[in-house]
Short mmCIF file of all heavy atoms in Angstrom, two decimals:
data_model
loop_
_atom_site.label_atom_id
_atom_site.label_comp_id
_atom_site.label_asym_id
_atom_site.label_seq_id
_atom_site.Cartn_x
_atom_site.Cartn_y
_atom_site.Cartn_z
N TYR A 33 -15.05 13.55 -8.37
CA TYR A 33 -15.77 12.57 -9.13
C TYR A 33 -15.75 11.19 -8.40
O TYR A 33 -14.76 10.91 -7.76
CB TYR A 33 -15.22 12.44 -10.52
CG TYR A 33 -15.51 13.50 -11.48
CD1 TYR A 33 -14.51 14.16 -12.13
CD2 TYR A 33 -16.80 13.99 -11.70
CE1 TYR A 33 -14.73 15.14 -13.07
CE2 TYR A 33 -17.08 14.99 -12.53
CZ TYR A 33 -16.06 15.64 -13.30
OH TYR A 33 -16.30 16.68 -14.14
N TYR A 35 -16.07 7.03 -8.98
CA TYR A 35 -15.90 6.00 -10.00
C TYR A 35 -16.41 4.67 -9.46
O TYR A 35 -16.29 4.43 -8.22
CB TYR A 35 -14.39 5.86 -10.36
CG TYR A 35 -13.84 7.16 -10.85
CD1 TYR A 35 -13.42 8.17 -10.09
CD2 TYR A 35 -13.73 7.42 -12.32
CE1 TYR A 35 -12.97 9.39 -10.50
CE2 TYR A 35 -13.25 8.63 -12.79
CZ TYR A 35 -12.89 9.53 -11.89
OH TYR A 35 -12.41 10.77 -12.30
N TYR A 37 -16.16 0.35 -10.01
CA TYR A 37 -15.49 -0.79 -10.68
C TYR A 37 -16.21 -2.05 -10.36
O TYR A 37 -16.66 -2.23 -9.24
CB TYR A 37 -14.00 -0.85 -10.19
CG TYR A 37 -13.25 0.46 -10.49
CD1 TYR A 37 -13.16 1.48 -9.66
CD2 TYR A 37 -12.61 0.62 -11.74
CE1 TYR A 37 -12.54 2.70 -9.95
CE2 TYR A 37 -11.92 1.73 -12.04
CZ TYR A 37 -11.94 2.74 -11.18
OH TYR A 37 -11.28 3.92 -11.48
N GLN A 39 -15.67 -6.15 -10.35
CA GLN A 39 -14.70 -7.23 -10.35
C GLN A 39 -15.33 -8.59 -10.37
O GLN A 39 -15.89 -9.04 -9.33
CB GLN A 39 -13.66 -7.15 -9.15
CG GLN A 39 -12.55 -8.09 -9.24
CD GLN A 39 -11.48 -7.93 -8.14
OE1 GLN A 39 -11.80 -7.56 -6.99
NE2 GLN A 39 -10.25 -8.19 -8.43
N ALA A 44 -9.45 -9.21 -12.99
CA ALA A 44 -9.05 -7.85 -12.66
C ALA A 44 -10.27 -6.91 -12.65
O ALA A 44 -11.31 -7.20 -13.30
CB ALA A 44 -8.05 -7.36 -13.64
N PRO A 45 -10.25 -5.91 -11.86
CA PRO A 45 -11.35 -4.90 -11.87
C PRO A 45 -11.60 -4.25 -13.19
O PRO A 45 -10.56 -4.19 -14.08
CB PRO A 45 -10.89 -3.85 -10.82
CG PRO A 45 -9.93 -4.57 -9.99
CD PRO A 45 -9.18 -5.57 -10.83
N LEU A 47 -13.53 -0.79 -15.17
CA LEU A 47 -14.25 0.45 -14.93
C LEU A 47 -15.68 0.34 -15.44
O LEU A 47 -15.94 -0.08 -16.55
CB LEU A 47 -13.53 1.59 -15.69
CG LEU A 47 -14.13 2.96 -15.57
CD1 LEU A 47 -14.07 3.54 -14.19
CD2 LEU A 47 -13.51 3.96 -16.61
N TYR A 50 -17.67 6.31 -14.64
CA TYR A 50 -16.67 7.35 -14.36
C TYR A 50 -17.31 8.75 -14.36
O TYR A 50 -18.47 8.85 -14.76
CB TYR A 50 -15.53 7.37 -15.36
CG TYR A 50 -15.96 7.75 -16.80
CD1 TYR A 50 -15.57 9.00 -17.29
CD2 TYR A 50 -16.52 6.84 -17.62
CE1 TYR A 50 -15.98 9.36 -18.57
CE2 TYR A 50 -16.89 7.15 -18.92
CZ TYR A 50 -16.61 8.41 -19.37
OH TYR A 50 -16.96 8.81 -20.67
N ARG A 51 -16.68 9.73 -13.67
CA ARG A 51 -17.22 11.02 -13.50
C ARG A 51 -18.68 10.99 -13.00
O ARG A 51 -19.58 11.63 -13.58
CB ARG A 51 -17.19 11.79 -14.84
CG ARG A 51 -15.80 12.03 -15.40
CD ARG A 51 -15.82 12.91 -16.61
NE ARG A 51 -14.57 12.79 -17.39
CZ ARG A 51 -14.30 13.38 -18.49
NH1 ARG A 51 -15.20 14.24 -19.02
NH2 ARG A 51 -13.19 13.22 -19.13
N TYR A 88 -16.87 -1.85 -6.41
CA TYR A 88 -16.08 -0.90 -5.61
C TYR A 88 -16.35 0.51 -6.08
O TYR A 88 -16.32 0.84 -7.26
CB TYR A 88 -14.59 -1.20 -5.68
CG TYR A 88 -14.13 -2.57 -5.14
CD1 TYR A 88 -14.14 -3.63 -5.94
CD2 TYR A 88 -13.82 -2.64 -3.78
CE1 TYR A 88 -13.76 -4.91 -5.41
CE2 TYR A 88 -13.35 -3.82 -3.29
CZ TYR A 88 -13.30 -4.94 -4.14
OH TYR A 88 -12.97 -6.20 -3.62
N GLY A 98 -4.60 11.37 -2.20
CA GLY A 98 -4.50 10.04 -2.77
C GLY A 98 -5.95 9.54 -3.19
O GLY A 98 -6.90 10.03 -2.76
N TRP A 99 -5.90 8.31 -3.81
CA TRP A 99 -7.16 7.71 -4.23
C TRP A 99 -7.63 6.87 -3.06
O TRP A 99 -6.82 6.23 -2.37
CB TRP A 99 -6.93 6.82 -5.44
CG TRP A 99 -6.75 7.63 -6.67
CD1 TRP A 99 -5.60 8.09 -7.23
CD2 TRP A 99 -7.83 8.16 -7.56
NE1 TRP A 99 -5.87 8.79 -8.36
CE2 TRP A 99 -7.15 8.87 -8.58
CE3 TRP A 99 -9.19 8.04 -7.57
CZ2 TRP A 99 -7.91 9.49 -9.58
CZ3 TRP A 99 -9.92 8.57 -8.59
CH2 TRP A 99 -9.27 9.29 -9.57
N PHE A 101 -10.69 3.88 -1.88
CA PHE A 101 -11.78 2.93 -2.38
C PHE A 101 -12.66 2.59 -1.27
O PHE A 101 -12.31 2.69 -0.07
CB PHE A 101 -11.08 1.64 -2.86
CG PHE A 101 -10.39 1.70 -4.20
CD1 PHE A 101 -9.04 2.12 -4.25
CD2 PHE A 101 -11.06 1.40 -5.36
CE1 PHE A 101 -8.37 2.16 -5.56
CE2 PHE A 101 -10.44 1.44 -6.60
CZ PHE A 101 -9.09 1.82 -6.63
N GLN B 39 -4.45 -5.71 -3.98
CA GLN B 39 -5.57 -6.37 -3.39
C GLN B 39 -5.03 -7.56 -2.58
O GLN B 39 -4.63 -8.61 -3.20
CB GLN B 39 -6.59 -6.85 -4.46
CG GLN B 39 -7.86 -7.49 -3.92
CD GLN B 39 -8.90 -7.65 -5.01
OE1 GLN B 39 -8.57 -7.99 -6.07
NE2 GLN B 39 -10.16 -7.53 -4.63
N GLY B 44 -10.34 -6.01 -0.15
CA GLY B 44 -10.70 -5.05 -1.12
C GLY B 44 -9.50 -4.38 -1.84
O GLY B 44 -8.35 -4.78 -1.66
N LEU B 45 -9.77 -3.50 -2.69
CA LEU B 45 -8.76 -2.75 -3.48
C LEU B 45 -8.13 -1.65 -2.64
O LEU B 45 -8.85 -0.92 -1.95
CB LEU B 45 -9.39 -2.17 -4.73
CG LEU B 45 -10.05 -3.15 -5.68
CD1 LEU B 45 -10.76 -2.37 -6.79
CD2 LEU B 45 -9.03 -4.05 -6.26
N TRP B 47 -5.43 1.60 -3.28
CA TRP B 47 -4.50 2.32 -4.14
C TRP B 47 -3.12 2.45 -3.49
O TRP B 47 -3.07 2.70 -2.24
CB TRP B 47 -5.01 3.72 -4.36
CG TRP B 47 -4.06 4.67 -5.06
CD1 TRP B 47 -3.73 4.75 -6.34
CD2 TRP B 47 -3.39 5.71 -4.35
NE1 TRP B 47 -2.80 5.76 -6.51
CE2 TRP B 47 -2.56 6.38 -5.30
CE3 TRP B 47 -3.28 6.13 -2.99
CZ2 TRP B 47 -1.70 7.39 -5.00
CZ3 TRP B 47 -2.49 7.20 -2.75
CH2 TRP B 47 -1.67 7.85 -3.66
N TYR B 95 -1.89 -4.70 -9.23
CA TYR B 95 -2.37 -4.45 -10.56
C TYR B 95 -1.79 -3.07 -11.05
O TYR B 95 -1.71 -2.10 -10.21
CB TYR B 95 -3.86 -4.22 -10.56
CG TYR B 95 -4.71 -5.48 -10.21
CD1 TYR B 95 -5.23 -5.62 -8.95
CD2 TYR B 95 -4.99 -6.40 -11.17
CE1 TYR B 95 -6.04 -6.72 -8.69
CE2 TYR B 95 -5.76 -7.52 -10.90
CZ TYR B 95 -6.28 -7.65 -9.61
OH TYR B 95 -7.07 -8.74 -9.33
N LEU B 99 -4.27 5.65 -15.90
CA LEU B 99 -5.10 6.69 -15.21
C LEU B 99 -5.24 7.88 -16.13
O LEU B 99 -4.34 8.80 -16.19
CB LEU B 99 -4.49 7.06 -13.87
CG LEU B 99 -5.25 8.05 -13.02
CD1 LEU B 99 -6.61 7.54 -12.66
CD2 LEU B 99 -4.45 8.36 -11.76
N SER B 102 -9.66 12.40 -14.95
CA SER B 102 -11.04 12.33 -14.70
C SER B 102 -11.79 11.12 -15.32
O SER B 102 -12.95 11.08 -15.27
CB SER B 102 -11.77 13.65 -15.21
OG SER B 102 -11.32 14.72 -14.53
N ASP B 103 -11.00 10.25 -15.86
CA ASP B 103 -11.60 9.06 -16.49
C ASP B 103 -11.37 7.79 -15.67
O ASP B 103 -11.73 6.68 -16.19
CB ASP B 103 -11.11 8.92 -17.92
CG ASP B 103 -11.65 9.94 -18.82
OD1 ASP B 103 -12.64 10.66 -18.45
OD2 ASP B 103 -11.16 10.07 -19.95
N GLY B 104 -10.72 7.88 -14.57
CA GLY B 104 -10.54 6.69 -13.73
C GLY B 104 -9.49 5.75 -14.15
O GLY B 104 -8.74 5.98 -15.12
N PHE B 105 -9.32 4.61 -13.35
CA PHE B 105 -8.32 3.59 -13.68
C PHE B 105 -8.95 2.75 -14.79
O PHE B 105 -9.88 1.98 -14.52
CB PHE B 105 -8.08 2.80 -12.43
CG PHE B 105 -7.49 3.55 -11.32
CD1 PHE B 105 -8.33 3.82 -10.11
CD2 PHE B 105 -6.21 4.02 -11.26
CE1 PHE B 105 -7.81 4.54 -9.07
CE2 PHE B 105 -5.74 4.76 -10.25
CZ PHE B 105 -6.53 5.00 -9.11
N ASN B 106 -8.37 2.77 -16.01
CA ASN B 106 -8.94 2.15 -17.10
C ASN B 106 -8.00 2.03 -18.17
O ASN B 106 -7.55 3.08 -18.79
CB ASN B 106 -10.16 2.83 -17.57
CG ASN B 106 -10.89 2.09 -18.71
OD1 ASN B 106 -10.87 0.88 -18.74
ND2 ASN B 106 -11.49 2.81 -19.63
N TRP B 108 -7.06 -2.08 -16.45
CA TRP B 108 -6.26 -2.68 -15.54
C TRP B 108 -5.50 -3.86 -16.11
O TRP B 108 -6.04 -4.51 -16.98
CB TRP B 108 -7.09 -3.25 -14.25
CG TRP B 108 -7.88 -2.21 -13.54
CD1 TRP B 108 -8.77 -1.34 -14.04
CD2 TRP B 108 -7.86 -1.93 -12.16
NE1 TRP B 108 -9.35 -0.57 -13.14
CE2 TRP B 108 -8.77 -0.92 -11.91
CE3 TRP B 108 -7.14 -2.45 -11.05
CZ2 TRP B 108 -8.99 -0.41 -10.62
CZ3 TRP B 108 -7.36 -1.97 -9.84
CH2 TRP B 108 -8.33 -0.93 -9.59
N GLY B 109 -4.29 -4.16 -15.64
CA GLY B 109 -3.65 -5.27 -16.05
C GLY B 109 -4.18 -6.52 -15.35
O GLY B 109 -5.11 -6.45 -14.65
#
Side-chain angles (χ1 to χ4, degrees):
Chain A
Y33 287 127
Y35 302 81
Y37 298 90
Q39 187 175 32
L47 179 67
Y50 66 102
R51 299 186 198 177
Y88 295 90
W99 288 91
F101 283 90
Chain B
Q39 185 171 34
L45 301 172
W47 169 78
Y95 297 100
L99 180 61
S102 299
D103 288 348
F105 299 108
N106 183 35
W108 300 55

